[in-house]
Amino acid sequence: MHTAAQPLNKDKVVTQQHALQDPIWVRWGLIAIAISFISLFICVPLGLVIFQAFSKGLQAYWSALSNTDTLSAIKLTLLVAVITVPLNTLFGVVSAWAITRFEFKGKSFLTTLIDIPFSVSPVISGFIFVLLFGAEGWFGKILVEHDIKIIFAAPGIILATLFITFPFVARQLIPLMQEMGNQEEEAALSLGASGWKTFFSVTLPNIKWALLYGVLLCNARAMGEFGAVSVVSGHIRGMTNTLPLHVEVSYNDYDVVSAFASASILAALAIVTLILKTALEWKQANR
Amino acid sequence: MSILLSDISKNFGTFAALNHINLDVPEGELVALLGPSGCGKTTLLRIIAGLEHTDKGRVIINGQDKTEQTVSQRGIGFVFQHYALFRHMTVFENVAFGLRVKPRKDRPSNDVIAKKVHSLLELVQLDWLHNRYPDQLSGGQRQRIALARALAVEPSVLLLDEPFGALDASVRKDLRQWLRNLHHELHVTSIFVTHDQEEAMEVASRVVVLNHGQIEQQGSPSDIYDHPANAFVSKFIGQTNIFDLDEHDNDWLQTAGLLQPSQQGKIAHVRPHDIIIKKTDNHHTAPATLKDWQHLGALIRIELVKNESNGSDAPVFAEMPNDQFKQLELTKGDKVKLKIRQAHWFH
Ligand SMILES: Nc1ncnc2c1ncn2[C@@H]1O[C@H](COP(=O)(O)OP(=O)(O)O)[C@@H](O)[C@H]1O
Ligand SMILES: [Mg+2]
């Protein structure tokens, strides 16, 4: 109200522009602080990982990666991602669809539930599975009787990762689908398209970049998760170690090259994720 | 094909959006569904299309009960208020969509589809835009593409929800005329929703007035204008002066010898063009003073104030053709005599 009543004269505009422009030393000072912070906490550690990984030469790096324990950790990590990412993609699309397209009781409760893995400490999440499926857990007896191993085995790791990564896709889709509304889908239906046809030819093309973005984040977390997986895995070398766990185990065994070589793979994954993420963001903005 | 709605009711929670709607649209007709915002027009249209369920009543199209059919089974063309074009498809693909999703045995070949799409785009005069995406079109163009898309599947009936609601006045005017002509050409049974009475009267051969989920009146535009069934319709269709003979306007009207209370009711609605004014020098008996006037193109709208002090101070509006007003040589502040040609009476 106050500013609207003031006459808009030229002088005023000019002084306002000056007010927005801080002195040069302030600007450069702030930029320098930002850059040194990023270097200190991101570039230096990243450089260190690479330096340590190659500290004994290319040969040592290569043999650290090709030793059976490392290979099995890579395999398990890939297995976990291959199972959890598609399942959580499906789950994310289904729950986003339900939340944005239907009216039902307990809708806001479901929306809150989706966020739980983000708000609960991963260690606690892992612990829940131990309480459920561990030898002393609720289902422990039945599992032992039928000779099924979940905790300290791959199924436990997959379950924990599923739990940890399930919000990523849904969280990307819900706001987008809410904003888009369902008019295009209604139009497709009124033109005689079936529900599936409508989903694949109208909904999916509209949400594909957000969906890919969610899948990417989901994958990065599925491969990089430490806390929850650490609780349920039991750290059995060559059996239940994923890459992040393998890094820790090797480091604790003073096998520096192996630890940092594995870490370099995770770092590379992070960098690739970052590049794809930027590309997808650009794509989404220029749709 | 004809549309028959029998006793349609719809509630949202405890709110009654539609109340016992009965409507019969004969084959080939273009009917306007007219009513203020929030009166249930969109809801009724969505129920006919199958996008919304009725709580009660039947939807019968061409003699067939369609109430239980899904939207994709009904074969109804729906043009949405905000176009709802597929944003990731070109104009061509948008129009072709309904043909491409047909079951394989009914699906035309690509050549036939292309031919049909281009002929529809020519019909809406936008074939030159076939390669564009929806966000590269103006509002009026999008609306016409939406119409072409709905027509592509040769729908049994066409439903249009405020098709020109989001467009600017000049584009609206053009499109109204264009829609009317298109309907003459195609003769597809259509229901056209609008909250603009002028638009309804101009486009449709029959107007259905809806208020608070109920049909207030239906008939030809002239029927509704000349014989409004109730006070709501009279107020909603065109401008009207309202005089309540039980309250403050009584004295003024009677002193001026303008209106006597009628058997039919106590509230008189008088159209502006039913008030004739004449200049007078007799300052004591003159019932009104000319306050101001506005040009409405060919017509002049004259704003009058009542001279009787105990009347309500609402202005009275009269309308007359431009040249007639010039002949009267009136200026602001002139005292005038009035004659009321006719009034509609309501309780
Ligand atoms: N899905 C819904 N849930 C609750 N109320 C609704 C819903 N859709 C419409 N309404 C209500 O029903 C009334 C009629 O709405 P609508 O048919 O959209 O009116 P119109 O198209 O005539 O402006 C409005 O008061 C609106 O708030
Ligand atoms: Mg509406």
Side-chain angles (χ1 to χ4, degrees):
Chain A
M1 294 296 130
H2 198 71
T3 46
Q6 285 174 350
L8 238 182
N9 60 40
K10 273 243 165 70
D11 295 345
K12 189 114 214 138
V13 172
V14 171
T15 48
Q16 270 173 355
Q17 264 180 357
H18 271 292
L20 281 176
Q21 294 271 313
D22 288 311
I24 281 197
W25 64 269
V26 173
R27 271 188 282 156
W28 286 109
L30 289 177
I31 291 170
I33 289 173
I35 287 179
S36 38
F37 191 86
I38 290 171
S39 323
L40 197 65
F41 286 92
I42 295 177
C43 297
V44 170
L46 197 62
L48 207 67
V49 166
I50 293 165
F51 174 78
Q52 289 285 5
F54 290 99
S55 59
K56 301 248 166 70
L58 202 60
Q59 193 69 45
Y61 177 78
W62 189 245
S63 66
L65 282 188
S66 50
N67 102 19
T68 46
D69 289 353
T70 314
L71 282 180
S72 109
I74 292 173
K75 261 190 227 152
L76 183 59
T77 302
L78 289 177
L79 177 74
V80 168
V82 161
I83 293 172
T84 56
V85 173
L87 280 178
N88 275 336
T89 304
L90 189 68
F91 170 80
V93 172
V94 168
S95 52
W97 185 275
I99 283 171
T100 57
R101 297 293 181 258
F102 305 136
E103 288 299 328
F104 55 92
K105 280 216 174 75
K107 184 162 147 169
S108 55
F109 184 61
L110 180 62
T111 317
T112 316
L113 274 187
I114 288 179
D115 278 347
I116 280 189
F118 279 172
S119 49
V120 172
S121 156
V123 177
I124 307 290
S125 310
F127 221 73
I128 293 166
F129 288 98
V130 175
L131 285 177
L132 284 177
F133 303 117
E136 308 292 316
W138 284 7
F139 301 109
K141 261 219 164 78
I142 305 171
L143 292 174
V144 171
E145 275 165 19
H146 292 84
D147 200 21
I148 301 171
K149 253 185 109 53
I150 291 184
I151 300 304
F152 305 148
I157 294 171
I158 289 166
L159 280 177
T161 310
L162 260 181
F163 178 80
I164 291 292
T165 59
F166 87 47
F168 286 97
V169 172
R171 284 275 292 237
Q172 285 302 316
L173 295 186
I174 290 169
L176 177 70
M177 287 172 71
Q178 250 158 6
E179 180 216 308
M180 282 195 321
N182 57 359
Q183 290 240 304
E184 284 184 45
E185 282 133 19
E186 287 186 339
L189 291 173
S190 78
L191 290 167
S194 64
W196 283 114
K197 191 85 198 170
T198 300
F199 176 77
F200 283 107
S201 54
V202 175
T203 313
L204 202 56
N206 281 340
I207 62 170
K208 67 181 171 201
W209 297 120
L211 181 64
L212 275 176
Y213 189 93
V215 168
L216 186 74
L217 295 184
C218 178
N219 180 62
R221 187 65 184 266
M223 291 187 166
E225 174 56 23
F226 180 83
V229 168
S230 168
V231 175
V232 296
S233 120
H235 301 260
I236 307 164
R237 266 174 178 261
M239 298 276 292
T240 64
N241 271 350
T242 58
L243 263 180
L245 299 181
H246 184 66
V247 172
E248 191 208 18
V249 170
S250 310
Y251 189 75
N252 288 345
D253 288 352
Y254 303 107
D255 188 353
V256 174
V257 173
S258 179
F260 281 100
S262 305
S264 73
I265 297 179
L266 288 172
L269 173 75
I271 290 167
V272 170
T273 303
L274 206 65
I275 292 169
L276 289 176
K277 183 170 164 281
T278 314
L280 283 177
E281 272 163 2
W282 183 83
K283 244 337 209 217
Q284 260 178 301
N286 292 280
R287 224 174 351 150
Chain B
M1 291 175 206
S2 64
I3 305 171
L4 182 68
L5 302 180
S6 116
D7 202 27
I8 301 273
S9 292
K10 172 83 187 174
N11 293 310
F12 291 112
T14 56
F15 174 77
L18 293 173
N19 250 326
H20 305 291
I21 300 281
N22 286 290
L23 182 64
D24 184 4
V25 182
E27 171 151 13
E29 220 176 316
L30 172 59
V31 168
L33 198 56
L34 172 66
S37 185
C39 72
K41 306 180 297 289
T42 299
T43 307
L44 186 59
L45 221 54
R46 289 171 61 85
I47 284 173
I48 302 172
L51 291 165
E52 198 95 60
H53 275 290
T54 58
D55 295 343
K56 202 166 154 281
R58 320 297 306 168
V59 177
I60 292 154
I61 291 170
N62 212 27
Q64 284 178 316
D65 190 333
K66 301 261 180 181
T67 319
E68 307 303 329
Q69 285 190 354
T70 64
V71 50
S72 38
Q73 290 166 335
R74 290 196 195 184
I76 282 175
F78 200 105
V79 178
F80 292 82
Q81 189 169 0
H82 301 289
Y83 327 122
L85 293 176
F86 306 128
R87 63 191 93 182
H88 65 282
M89 294 184 200
T90 60
V91 163
F92 181 94
E93 286 304 323
N94 262 281
V95 179
F97 184 86
L99 301 170
R100 293 210 201 280
V101 298
K102 277 183 190 290
R104 184 154 293 145
K105 61 177 171 34
D106 304 330
R107 197 183 307 157
S109 70
N110 277 339
D111 287 349
V112 175
I113 290 178
K115 229 180 175 158
K116 176 138 192 181
V117 171
H118 285 299
S119 79
L120 278 165
L121 287 174
E122 267 157 34
L123 183 72
V124 299
Q125 299 154 4
L126 290 177
D127 198 25
W128 55 288
L129 290 174
H130 68 270
N131 267 331
R132 299 269 188 96
Y133 283 89
D135 60 5
Q136 300 167 319
L137 306 179
S138 73
Q141 290 169 340
R142 282 182 215 183
Q143 193 55 274
R144 282 188 279 164
I145 298 299
L147 189 59
R149 181 179 69 175
L151 289 172
V153 290
E154 294 175 10
S156 52
V157 302
L158 187 62
L159 307 175
L160 305 111
D161 191 1
E162 310 221 8
F164 313 136
L167 306 173
D168 36 289
S170 70
V171 182
R172 283 170 85 128
K173 271 234 179 293
D174 287 348
L175 282 184
R176 282 180 203 171
Q177 212 52 52
W178 174 82
L179 180 66
R180 204 185 152 90
N181 293 340
L182 188 74
H183 182 258
H184 275 304
E185 212 169 304
L186 300 175
H187 278 295
V188 52
T189 314
S190 311
I191 299 182
F192 158 84
V193 160
T194 177
H195 63 257
D196 179 342
Q197 50 95 14
E198 210 177 295
E199 191 164 287
M201 310 277 244
E202 190 173 332
V203 175
S205 50
R206 213 150 68 88
V207 177
V208 177
V209 184
L210 203 64
N211 189 32
H212 292 310
Q214 266 165 331
I215 293 183
E216 300 279 356
Q217 188 176 5
Q218 41 182 312
S220 70
S222 66
D223 254 358
I224 287 184
Y225 190 82
D226 295 334
H227 309 288
N230 54 41
F232 170 80
V233 176
S234 163
K235 264 190 284 190
F236 195 68
I237 308 285
Q239 264 227 329
T240 186
N241 295 290
I242 300 173
F243 304 113
D244 186 343
L245 266 64
D246 252 2
E247 290 179 21
H248 20 259
D249 286 327
N250 194 7
D251 293 344
W252 178 71
L253 286 160
Q254 294 210 15
T255 341
L258 296 173
L259 284 170
Q260 298 299 327
S262 144
Q263 292 295 315
Q264 297 152 284
K266 299 241 165 37
I267 300 171
H269 287 208
V270 180
R271 299 274 185 218
H273 56 76
D274 283 332
I275 298 180
I276 298 169
I277 63 177
K278 267 214 183 77
K279 201 167 170 171
T280 175
D281 294 328
N282 189 341
H283 284 220
H284 297 294
T285 57
T289 306
L290 190 146
K291 187 180 173 211
D292 203 358
W293 66 82
Q294 296 122 32
H295 283 267
L296 310 174
L299 289 179
I300 296 280
R301 178 189 291 151
I302 302 146
E303 190 179 344
L304 304 163
V305 285
K306 300 163 193 158
N307 291 342
E308 191 70 31
S309 57
N310 61 353
S312 79
D313 46 11
V316 174
F317 289 100
E319 271 173 22
M320 63 172 64
N322 233 330
D323 45 355
Q324 209 175 319
F325 181 70
K326 276 195 193 117
Q327 283 172 12
L328 289 176
E329 294 182 332
L330 287 165
T331 53
K332 283 181 199 176
D334 279 355
K335 303 289 175 191
V336 291
K337 280 199 296 189
L338 307 182
K339 189 174 161 221
I340 293 177
R341 278 200 294 213
Q342 64 162 339
H344 294 113
W345 292 93
F346 303 105
H347 285 288

